[in-house]
Structures are given as structure tokens and as C-alpha cells.
């Protein structure tokens, strides 16, 4: 399915140097902010109090969030759990106050506007659990990266696998850089969004690289730059359809999904935009810089008996 078809190849690779410089600057800035400012980790990572309360009728989450925020909690998470009456509240650890004291203070504050609120449970999530979640999250990211690299190296060639994994890590680091610079809350939901972007971005790279291999088989006289330009241009309609529809859904979550989905959707929004950018200018650009040529994908074989055969001398 195509909404449009571009007849003349767009010279993407002509401008790849400029965009690669932009990518390097963004990547370095992201690493700098991560090293100096760090991430604003949520309760799951830093430790704190988790309490569940029940209202006699559907709870107004905005009012609950405002009441708890008025107590001096800046990084508080409020969401429904199970039903509209049940509310889960995550509070960051406060020095000199136990989990029981924190939950009692919050419950008393909530009962000022709704006396029927009941505390169903409260528990303390220690920092050692947060360390474990951090470690497992990083291991998950490492295994995903390793699996994608091996897959692309086997399906195409090792240069393609290396280019794809660098492009995807570029997206992940830039997402983390945004969260570090603006100090947006980094929760398990955001981590899930980052991993989703990692898998989502590689799909676009695979489509482009698959078309590159196809073009190398069909057009012997085209240079690598021409092949890359043609491959990207020929997939442009699919790129627009796929990413525009995905971005539309993610933007709906961002603007209408409420605070619980806000940062998750924000991570996906940034990731989708940079996923398209990195597939074209980072992944394909690296393939160009590494000197990938037809012989890397099309292995020489026995010469054809027919000297006029365009496929003579190659196994396609």
C-alpha cells in the first residue's frame, strides 16, 4: 500500500555528514547531562512508600494528586488500580518518617475532603529493590542490543548489524538525555517505553537494509550512495504511513492518557521521531562510511554459461 510514489531519488546521503555532526552533538550532550544531572528516578528505583486507598465512589485523581502534592511531595505517582474507586499512591522516601507515618499523614489529608477514604495497604519499597530493578533494566537493554546485533549480522552482514545497533543506541541515549535535561520522572513505565523504542526503531532499519540488498542484486552499476538513496526513497511512503499512524496513537496517549501515561508516551514520542531520523541518517550513514559494497552481500559464484547473462558470476 502506497499513498504516494516518489519518482526521483532524494539525495539523502549527500547531506549525511551534516546530520551525523548533529547526531554526534546531541549524543555528546545527552551523555553530558546523564553524567552531570543524572535521571530523576521514580519510587520504583529510589525506594519509598506505596499505599493503596479506597474511595466510597469513583476517585478524582487530579484532586488526590493536588492534595498529596500540597504536602510537599513533588514526585508523587497517583493512579487507579483495579477499579475507579481504588487508588495507588507512590511516595518518595522522606527522611525521619517511616512508611506508616507517611501513609497516616496522607490518609488524614485525603480524609479532609472525603471522610470515607480507607487505607487498604501500605508498604515500603527499599532502595535495595530499586538497585535490583536498575540492574535488571540495564541487563534487559544489553540483551536486546546483543540480540538485535546478532540477528542483523546473520541476516545481512556484520557492518549492517553494527550500524543498526549504533543507530538504535543513539535513539536510546538521546531519549535518556531529554529526561535528564528536563528532569522528567524516569519510572518503570518509561523504561518499558525505551525498550519498546529500541525494538521499534530496528524495524525501520531492517526494511531499509532489506531494500539495499535488493538494489545491490538488481543494479550492478549503482554506487553505494545511489543504492542507499534509492532504498530510502522507495520506502518513504511506507515510513510515512507507519510512523504517522503510530505517532498519532502515541500523541493521543500523551495528551489524553493522563499523568500515569504521560512520560511513557513522551518517551515513545521522542523515540519514534528519532527512530526515523536515525534509520536514514545514522544507520544508513554508517553503512556508507564503513564502505559497504555489493560484494559484501552478493557472494561470487560460478560464471554463467551465457556471457550475456546479467547475473553471470554472482549468486543472487
Amino acid at each position: 500500500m502506497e499513498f504516494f510514489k516518489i519518482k526521483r531519488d532524494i539525495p539523502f546521503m549527500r547531506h549525511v555528514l551534516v546530520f551525523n555532526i548533529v547526531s554526534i552533538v546531541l549524543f555528546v550532550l545527552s551523555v553530558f547531562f546523564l553524567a552531570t544531572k543524572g535521571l530523576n528516578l521514580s519510587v520504583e528505583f529510589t525506594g519509598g512508600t506505596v499505599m493503596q486507598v479506597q474511595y466510597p465512589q469513583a476517585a478524582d485523581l487530579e484532586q488526590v494528586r493536588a492534595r498529596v502534592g500540597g504536602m510537599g511531595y513533588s514526585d508523587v505517582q497517583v493512579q487507579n488500580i483495579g477499579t475507579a474507586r481504588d487508588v495507588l499512591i507512590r511516595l518518595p522516601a522522606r527522611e525521619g518518617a517511616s512508611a506508616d507515618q507517611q501513609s497516616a499523614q496522607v490518609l488524614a489529608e485525603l480524609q479532609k475532603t472525603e471522610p470515607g477514604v480507607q487505607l487498604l495497604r501500605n508498604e515500603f519499597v527499599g532502595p535495595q529493590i530499586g538497585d535490583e530493578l536498575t540492574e535488571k533494566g540495564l541487563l534487559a537493554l544489553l540483551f536486546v542490543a546483543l540480540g538485535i546485533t546478532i540477528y542483523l549480522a546473520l541476516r545481512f552482514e556484520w557492518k549492517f548489524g553494527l550500524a543498526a545497533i549504533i543507530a538504535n543506541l543513539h535513539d536510546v541515549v538521546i531519549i535518556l538525555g531529554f529526561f535528564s535535561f528536563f528532569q522528567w520522572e524516569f519510572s518503570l513505565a518509561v523504561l518499558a517505553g525505551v525498550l519498546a523504542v529500541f525494538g521499534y526503531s530496528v524495524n525501520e532499519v531492517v526494511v531499509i537494509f532489506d531494500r539495499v540488498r535488493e538494489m545491490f542484486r538488481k543494479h550492478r552499476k549503482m554506487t553505494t550512495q545511489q543504492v542507499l538513496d534509492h532504498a530510502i526513497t522507495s520506502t518513504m511512503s511506507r515510513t510515512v504511513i507507519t510512523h504517522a499512524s503510530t505517532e498519532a496513537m502515541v500523541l493521543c496517549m500523551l495528551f489524553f492518557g493522563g499523568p500515569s501515561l504521560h512520560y511513557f508516551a513522551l518517551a515513545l514520542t521522542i523515540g519514534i521521531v528519532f527512530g526515523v531520523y536515525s534509520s536514514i541518517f545514522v544507520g544508513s550513514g554508517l553503512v556508507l562510511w564503513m564502505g559497504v559494497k555489493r560484494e559484501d552481500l552478493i557472494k561470487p559464484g560460478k560464471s554463467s554459461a551465457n556471457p550475456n547473462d546479467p547475473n553471470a558470476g554472482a549468486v543472487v
Side-chain angles (χ1 to χ4, degrees), residues 93-161:
R94 177 171 284 182
E95 188 176 354
S98 65
D100 291 337
Q101 291 173 331
Q102 284 184 289
S103 59
Q105 292 169 358
V106 171
L107 180 63
E109 183 66 25
L110 297 178
Q111 287 177 338
K112 291 180 181 179
T113 55
E114 180 53 69
V117 179
Q118 296 180 348
L119 178 65
L120 298 183
R121 69 181 177 93
N122 74 291
E123 57 190 34
F124 176 73
V125 181
Q128 69 277 7
I129 299 178
D131 292 340
E132 182 181 355
L133 289 173
T134 303
E135 180 183 351
K136 289 184 176 180
L138 292 175
L139 284 176
L141 186 61
L142 175 63
F143 288 138
V144 169
L146 184 62
I148 290 174
T149 304
I150 294 174
Y151 165 73
L152 291 177
L154 293 175
R155 179 168 178 177
F156 299 101
E157 204 261 348
W158 71 266
K159 295 176 184 176
F160 285 87

Side-chain angles (χ1 to χ4, degrees), residues 217 220 294 297-302 311-316:
R217 288 174 173 174
R220 292 188 172 195
R294 185 177 186 274
L297 296 173
I298 311 300
K299 303 303 180 183
K302 294 182 179 180
N311 294 325
V315 177
V316 295

Side-chain angles (χ1 to χ4, degrees), residues 10-17 19-20 23 163-164 167-168 170-171 201 204-206 208-209 212 225 228-240 243 272-289:
I10 302 173
F12 290 104
M13 295 299 101
R14 183 186 302 170
H15 310 288
V16 71
L17 177 60
F19 286 103
N20 282 174
S23 294
N168 284 288
H170 160 276
D171 299 340
S201 296
E204 183 68 21
V205 176
V206 169
I208 293 175
F209 286 175
V212 168
Q225 180 172 331
L228 287 168
D229 286 337
H230 184 78
I232 297 169
T233 303
S234 61
T235 59
M236 190 56 60
S237 177
R238 174 214 170 265
T239 298
V240 171
H243 294 283
I272 291 172
V273 172
F274 277 95
V276 177
Y277 166 83
S278 66
S279 299
I280 297 174
F281 294 109
V282 180
S284 299
L286 286 171
V287 166
L288 181 65
W289 296 132

Side-chain angles (χ1 to χ4, degrees), residues 1-311:
M1 178 180 177
E2 289 185 336
F3 280 168
F4 57 87
K5 188 171 184 178
I6 303 174
K7 295 183 179 180
R8 172 176 280 184
D9 291 343
I10 302 173
F12 290 104
M13 295 299 101
R14 183 186 302 170
H15 310 288
V16 71
L17 177 60
V18 175
F19 286 103
N20 282 174
I21 293 174
V22 172
S23 294
I24 292 172
V25 172
L26 288 174
F27 187 90
V28 171
L29 285 175
S30 297
V31 172
F32 172 76
F33 290 131
L34 286 169
T36 56
K37 302 181 70 173
L39 292 170
N40 179 21
L41 298 175
S42 67
V43 173
E44 296 101 333
F45 295 103
T46 60
T49 300
V50 177
M51 57 182 295
Q52 181 180 347
V53 297
Q54 187 177 71
Y55 279 72
Q57 67 280 333
D60 184 344
L61 296 185
E62 289 300 328
Q63 186 183 68
V64 174
R65 194 172 290 109
R67 300 293 299 185
V68 179
M71 300 175 63
Y73 291 104
S74 56
D75 300 324
V76 60
Q77 300 177 33
V78 179
Q79 64 187 78
N80 285 119
I81 177 171
T83 68
R85 298 171 53 206
D86 296 315
V87 179
L88 190 70
I89 304 173
R90 293 185 175 93
L91 306 169
R94 177 171 284 182
E95 188 176 354
S98 65
D100 291 337
Q101 291 173 331
Q102 284 184 289
S103 59
Q105 292 169 358
V106 171
L107 180 63
E109 183 66 25
L110 297 178
Q111 287 177 338
K112 291 180 181 179
T113 55
E114 180 53 69
V117 179
Q118 296 180 348
L119 178 65
L120 298 183
R121 69 181 177 93
N122 74 291
E123 57 190 34
F124 176 73
V125 181
Q128 69 277 7
I129 299 178
D131 292 340
E132 182 181 355
L133 289 173
T134 303
E135 180 183 351
K136 289 184 176 180
L138 292 175
L139 284 176
L141 186 61
L142 175 63
F143 288 138
V144 169
L146 184 62
I148 290 174
T149 304
I150 294 174
Y151 165 73
L152 291 177
L154 293 175
R155 179 168 178 177
F156 299 101
E157 204 261 348
W158 71 266
K159 295 176 184 176
F160 285 87
L162 181 61
I165 204 63
I166 292 175
N168 284 288
L169 287 174
H170 160 276
D171 299 340
V172 169
V173 171
I174 287 180
I175 293 173
L176 297 178
F178 270 96
F179 273 79
S180 176
F181 178 74
F182 292 105
Q183 285 296 289
W184 294 329
E185 185 180 64
F186 190 86
S187 63
L188 283 178
V190 175
L191 176 60
V194 171
L195 294 176
V197 166
F198 204 93
Y200 180 84
S201 296
V202 77
N203 177 64
E204 183 68 21
V205 176
V206 169
V207 170
I208 293 175
F209 286 175
D210 204 44
R211 188 58 60 90
V212 168
R213 180 169 57 181
E214 181 183 338
M215 290 302 104
F216 270 132
R217 288 174 173 174
K218 289 183 177 179
H219 306 282
R220 292 188 172 195
K221 295 183 179 180
M222 291 178 69
T223 65
T224 301
Q225 180 172 331
Q226 292 173 328
V227 167
L228 287 168
D229 286 337
H230 184 78
I232 297 169
T233 303
S234 61
T235 59
M236 190 56 60
S237 177
R238 174 214 170 265
T239 298
V240 171
I241 295 171
T242 302
H243 294 283
S245 58
T246 306
E247 192 70 86
M249 179 271 294
V250 172
L251 288 175
C252 287
M253 288 196 298
L254 179 64
F255 293 116
F256 307 112
S260 299
L261 292 175
H262 181 76
Y263 290 120
F264 169 74
L266 192 57
L268 290 177
T269 300
I270 298 171
I272 291 172
V273 172
F274 277 95
V276 177
Y277 166 83
S278 66
S279 299
I280 297 174
F281 294 109
V282 180
S284 299
L286 286 171
V287 166
L288 181 65
W289 296 132
M290 288 189 290
V292 172
K293 51 188 181 299
R294 185 177 186 274
E295 289 72 17
D296 292 329
L297 296 173
I298 311 300
K299 303 303 180 183
K302 294 182 179 180
S303 299
S304 172
N306 182 4
N308 297 320
D309 184 359
N311 294 325

